[in-house]
Amino acid sequence: MSSASITVLIAGCVGASILVLFLMVRYIPQRWHEGSTLKDSLEHFSALNRTLFSFILALSIVSAGTSLSKAGDEVSNEGASLVNLYWATRPLPQATRAQVRELTRQYTVTVINEEWPAMAQGATSARAQEQYDELRRVLQDTAGSTQQEQTFARDSLVALREVGDARRARILAVSQHVPDYLWIGLILSAVLLVATSALQIRALTWPGIIGIGGLALLLSGVLTLLSAMNHPFSGGIHVAPDALRFALTRYAVI
């Protein structure tokens, strides 16, 4: 979502909250405000709703933050594993080493340029998977003419498996997001927060308008921030392929 769309959305929420305040001040009977039983019930409900909103919000932020942190760790592991694979090919025969290193470089570039945009849409790159499978086939077919070369080939295959483990973990992280039921609870609770606050205002004055507008601005801003953290590989706050770009720079000096 672009910054312009976010601004329009937040402005719409603020405008809607002021409209709710206007309607409640104009159409809610005055006796509702004067009844002590109703007033006490409203205050208790408002306090309970604030507590519920805070709890759901904290749970959602922890969930989104954990997903982001875990996805970042998996990307770092994949970058480190790719560098280890590149290092592990040094003792291999020259032809095999050149082929594996070129495939490793191509795989890294494909993940950065193709798979990352695809992950932002919840998909992956078929070409990156094909290049990984080709790497595995080449190393598995490398018999080696000596016992030492066979050992080096096995070490390279182990390094490739570590890349595969990190890749699978990264792909699994694509589907991580704040559950829908938490979003429903947050939105409903936020609407009730604005409504109950507006219900307690008896006259349409500037302090009341600013207060309701500020509350709506705060709530919509918090929910927008959470939305930016909702998916590890998309949104305003996401995991970038910096570890893989660093791996590319390391290839050039190994």
Side-chain angles (χ1 to χ4, degrees):
M1 186 180 293
S2 65
S3 57
S5 299
I6 293 174
T7 302
V8 171
L9 178 61
I10 293 177
C13 292
V14 173
S17 68
I18 295 175
L19 177 61
V20 168
L21 173 63
F22 173 78
L23 293 175
M24 286 190 173
V25 168
R26 182 167 183 176
Y27 295 106
I28 295 297
Q30 188 66 24
R31 65 177 180 273
W32 285 30
H33 297 286
E34 297 172 352
S36 60
T37 302
L38 179 60
K39 182 179 179 181
D40 292 341
S41 299
L42 182 62
E43 290 177 353
H44 287 310
F45 176 78
S46 180
L48 179 62
N49 188 53
R50 286 196 299 270
T51 302
L52 179 63
F53 178 81
S54 301
F55 175 76
I56 299 176
L57 179 62
L59 187 61
S60 301
I61 291 177
V62 169
S63 175
T66 300
S67 297
L68 273 172
S69 178
K70 185 176 180 181
D73 291 341
E74 299 302 343
V75 173
S76 297
N77 290 338
E78 187 174 6
S81 299
L82 284 167
V83 173
N84 290 338
L85 172 62
Y86 212 86
W87 270 106
T89 60
R90 294 186 70 184
L92 293 178
Q94 183 176 0
T96 303
R97 179 174 69 247
Q99 184 180 11
V100 171
R101 286 188 167 187
E102 178 59 22
L103 284 171
T104 302
R105 189 192 65 79
Q106 291 177 3
Y107 168 81
T108 308
V109 171
T110 300
V111 170
I112 295 173
N113 294 337
E114 294 184 15
E115 192 154 55
W116 230 260
M119 289 192 302
Q121 306 300 322
T124 58
S125 169
R127 192 153 77 102
Q129 184 62 54
E130 291 172 358
Q131 290 170 340
Y132 174 82
D133 293 340
E134 180 65 14
L135 265 170
R136 185 172 183 176
R137 184 193 64 79
V138 170
L139 287 175
Q140 286 179 335
D141 292 346
T142 302
S145 57
T146 65
Q147 182 67 31
Q148 186 179 29
E149 289 182 351
Q150 293 175 5
T151 301
F152 292 149
R154 284 196 298 269
D155 291 343
S156 298
L157 192 56
V158 169
L160 179 63
R161 287 171 181 166
E162 292 177 354
V163 174
D165 291 341
R167 172 178 172 78
R168 283 188 292 273
R170 170 171 55 81
I171 291 175
L172 287 175
V174 172
S175 60
Q176 298 297 316
H177 59 85
V178 177
D180 292 340
Y181 60 85
L182 289 181
W183 276 110
I184 293 173
L186 278 172
I187 293 173
L188 287 178
S189 184
V191 170
L192 288 174
L193 268 175
V194 173
T196 53
S197 298
L199 190 57
Q200 297 179 54
I201 298 176
R202 300 187 180 187
L204 195 63
T205 60
W206 279 112
I209 293 174
I210 294 174
I212 287 296
L215 177 61
L217 178 63
L218 176 63
L219 294 176
S220 57
V222 168
L223 294 181
T224 300
L225 175 62
L226 180 61
S227 177
M229 299 171 57
N230 193 26
H231 294 279
F233 298 102
S234 62
I237 303 174
H238 61 274
V239 178
D242 294 337
L244 300 183
R245 293 192 184 103
F246 176 75
L248 281 176
T249 63
R250 291 291 297 152
Y251 298 162
V253 298
I254 294 177

